């Protein structure tokens, strides 16, 4: 029994070293030779019996057996290609390595193909890692620059406008009672300066909302949604589970920017009348869902055309989520609204993706 097992193992190794073309050629040659010899012998015997129906029956059986055997041979020979195709289909779900089982084939053709594909996937993985690192660096630099600009606007521009309003008020008090025209000009200047200060505070909040640091993620999203959506006549419903505690600052920043982009997209494209925003925690993950009843869109078509049309909103959302190991799910179709779901793992001991310390704005920043 042991000798038979060793013989079969050697035969298997010998077969694996033969190329696919040679295996198919050898298998079909054996079938043709065996079929020709067996068919000749059987046909001669049937002819001597003189039974035409029996001849047709044996011929049909012989053809069927030949086809079945040929199918088995071809299927066996092409099995490595089938396994390779299955492995490549997994690339879309995140697998970027060829399974080790495919690397054991000694077929020279399969070996060259597996080696080339494995090298290509490794290069793609390296380039993907480099792009993610560059993207992470760019996003962090963007947040840091937002903070720097917000601080500069608050400490310099906003303070200067405030002083201008105070000086105009003092100047108005020094004017004589009969200088009504001059007082009117000063009132107009005060109104312009006050409006300018209000707009500047909104810009500072958009750059880096201090509410995100002070009150948390949900409060910041709720304020932004009400300020922008309800102002445009869109009804907003909120829900936040009580078990959602304060998250690490880098996660709150990521989720807020995702919500900000989603709300901006609703305003620009959705033509919605109602928006539902939910935030909850489940199985060590935090979930954010933003759903509207707007016009919707074709997700696949839009995703394929974002680069050509230079519309990077959805790509930005997906990239931000991927940097913190999150996933984005978008469900939409024309005339049926859109649902955006983002879930991000929250695990103790996780480190933020090299977030600069300056992402926390000083409490001195002007509140909107």
């Amino acid at each position: 029994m042991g000798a038979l097992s060793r013989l079969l193992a050697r035969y298997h190794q010998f077969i694996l070293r033969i190329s696919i073309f040679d295996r198919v050629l050898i298998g079909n040659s054996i079938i043709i030779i065996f079929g020709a010899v067996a068919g000749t012998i059987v046909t001669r015997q049937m002819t001597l019996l003189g039974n035409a129906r029996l001849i047709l029956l044996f011929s049909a059986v012989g053809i069927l057996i030949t086809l079945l055997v040929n199918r088995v041979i071809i299927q066996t020979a092409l099995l490595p290609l089938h396994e390779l195709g299955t492995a490549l289909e997994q690339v879309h779900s995140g697998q970027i390595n060829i399974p080790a089982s495919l690397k054991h084939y000694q077929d020279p053709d399969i070996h060259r193909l597996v080696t080339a594909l494995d090298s290509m996937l490794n290069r793609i993985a390296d380039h993907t890692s480099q792009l993610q690192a560059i993207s992470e660096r760019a996003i962090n630099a963007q947040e840091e620059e937002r903070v720097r600009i917000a601080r500069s606007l608050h400490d310099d521009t906003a303070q200067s406008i405030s002083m201008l309003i105070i000086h105009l008020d003092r100047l108005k008090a020094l004017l004589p009672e009969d200088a009504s025209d001059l007082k009117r000009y000063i009132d107009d200047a005060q109104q312009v300066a006050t409006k300018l200060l209000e707009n500047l505070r909104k810009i500072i909040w958009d750059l880096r909302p201090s509410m995100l640091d002070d009150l948390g993620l949900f409060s910041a999203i709720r304020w932004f949604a009400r300020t922008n959506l309800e102002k445009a006549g869109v009804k907003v419903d909120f829900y936040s589970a009580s078990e959602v505690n304060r998250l690490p600052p880098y996660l709150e920043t990521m989720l807020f920017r995702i919500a900000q982009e989603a709300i901006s997209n609703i305003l620009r494209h959705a033509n919605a009348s109602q928006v539902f925003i939910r935030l909850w925690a489940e199985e060590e993950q935090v979930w954010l869902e933003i759903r509207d009843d707007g016009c919707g869109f074709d997700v696949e078509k839009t995703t394929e055309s974002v680069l050509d049309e230079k519309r990077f909103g959805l790509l930005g959302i997906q990239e931000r989520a991927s940097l913190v190991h999150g996933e984005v799910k978008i469900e939409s179709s024309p005339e049926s609204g859109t649902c955006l779901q983002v879930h991000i793992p929250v695990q103790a001991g996780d480190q933020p993706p090299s977030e600069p310390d300056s992402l926390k704005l000083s409490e001195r920043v002007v509140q909107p």
Side-chain angles (χ1 to χ4, degrees):
M1 191 68 180
L4 180 60
S5 300
R6 289 194 297 271
L7 181 63
L8 290 175
R10 291 179 181 178
Y11 172 75
H12 182 68
Q13 293 295 327
F14 173 75
I15 292 297
L16 290 179
R17 286 194 293 268
I18 302 175
S19 66
I20 293 177
F21 175 80
D22 291 336
R23 268 184 272 175
V24 174
L25 179 62
I26 293 171
N28 279 278
S29 298
I30 293 174
I31 291 175
I32 293 172
I33 294 172
F34 178 80
V37 173
T40 301
I41 296 173
V42 171
T43 303
R44 181 177 179 182
Q45 295 298 324
M46 294 299 103
T47 303
L48 295 176
L49 295 175
N51 192 332
R53 186 173 298 175
L54 196 57
I55 294 175
L56 292 175
L57 177 62
F58 273 95
S59 299
V61 171
I63 293 173
L64 181 61
I65 292 174
T66 301
L67 292 175
L68 291 175
V69 173
N70 192 43
R71 184 182 186 281
V72 171
I73 291 175
I74 294 177
Q75 186 177 19
T76 303
L78 299 180
L79 181 61
L81 293 180
H82 176 74
E83 294 178 355
L84 185 60
T86 302
L88 291 177
E89 289 176 356
Q90 302 301 318
V91 172
H92 182 69
S93 61
Q95 176 180 306
I96 54 176
N97 293 314
I98 297 294
S101 59
L102 285 171
K103 299 179 182 179
H104 295 326
Y105 282 103
Q106 300 179 15
D107 180 333
D109 296 333
I110 296 295
H111 183 72
R112 283 196 301 268
L113 182 60
V114 169
T115 302
L117 288 174
D118 191 48
S119 176
M120 180 188 70
L121 291 177
N122 287 334
R123 288 198 300 270
I124 291 175
D126 292 339
H127 288 310
T128 301
S129 299
Q130 293 173 7
L131 290 175
Q132 286 183 338
I134 293 172
S135 177
E136 177 184 324
R137 179 67 176 173
I139 289 175
N140 287 338
Q142 182 187 54
E143 292 294 335
E144 190 173 7
E145 189 67 10
R146 285 173 182 262
V147 172
R148 188 190 68 79
I149 295 173
R151 280 204 181 113
S152 177
L153 289 175
H154 170 262
D155 295 340
D156 298 331
T157 310
Q159 298 297 337
S160 298
I161 295 175
S162 297
M163 289 303 299
L164 175 61
I165 295 173
I166 294 173
H167 286 320
L168 287 172
D169 189 59
R170 291 176 178 175
L171 179 61
K172 180 181 176 182
L174 296 175
L175 293 176
E177 293 295 333
D178 57 348
S180 57
D181 291 340
L182 192 54
K183 286 184 177 181
R184 187 173 65 255
Y185 291 143
I186 292 177
D187 288 337
D188 292 341
Q190 280 185 313
Q191 290 178 6
V192 171
T194 302
K195 184 65 175 178
L196 178 60
L197 184 59
E198 291 175 357
N199 292 334
L200 185 61
R201 287 170 175 171
K202 292 179 181 179
I203 293 173
I204 292 173
W205 198 92
D206 286 339
L207 287 171
R208 177 65 185 181
S210 57
M211 188 180 296
L212 184 62
D213 298 321
D214 298 336
L215 301 179
L217 175 64
F218 187 74
S219 296
I221 293 176
R222 180 171 55 192
W223 192 94
F224 183 82
R226 283 179 173 171
T227 302
N228 292 272
L229 292 174
E230 292 185 352
K231 183 179 179 181
V234 181
K235 182 181 178 182
V236 186
D237 289 333
F238 298 93
Y239 168 78
S240 178
S242 58
E243 65 269 14
V244 180
N245 300 318
R246 289 301 300 267
L247 302 171
Y250 73 98
L251 285 185
E252 290 191 339
T253 299
M254 286 290 183
L255 285 169
F256 176 78
R257 294 304 180 195
I258 289 172
Q260 193 176 35
E261 181 63 37
I263 292 170
S264 299
N265 285 340
I266 292 173
L267 285 172
R268 288 195 297 264
H269 308 296
N271 192 26
S273 61
Q274 191 167 13
V275 173
F276 303 88
I277 299 177
R278 298 177 63 212
L279 182 70
W280 74 98
E282 181 179 337
E283 296 180 356
E284 297 187 349
Q285 293 193 349
V286 58
W287 291 73
L288 172 66
E289 179 181 282
I290 301 178
R291 180 162 49 91
D292 66 70
D293 62 350
C295 58
F297 62 96
D298 188 323
V299 177
E300 184 176 354
K301 183 178 179 181
T302 302
T303 303
E304 292 175 352
S305 62
V306 289
L307 294 179
D308 296 333
E309 299 180 3
K310 299 186 183 302
R311 296 166 60 180
F312 303 111
L314 293 179
L315 285 181
I317 289 175
Q318 293 172 341
E319 184 63 22
R320 286 182 181 274
S322 67
L323 290 178
V324 288
H325 311 292
E327 294 185 8
V328 177
K329 182 180 180 182
I330 301 175
E331 294 180 350
S332 181
S333 59
E335 308 302 330
S336 66
T338 302
C339 180
L340 168 71
Q341 273 193 354
V342 180
H343 60 95
I344 294 175
V346 182
Q347 298 176 356
D350 277 357
Q351 296 297 322
S354 61
E355 179 188 272
D357 294 336
S358 58
L359 283 188
K360 285 191 175 181
L361 240 173
S362 170
E363 293 181 357
R364 296 180 295 118
V365 173
V366 180
Q367 292 287 349

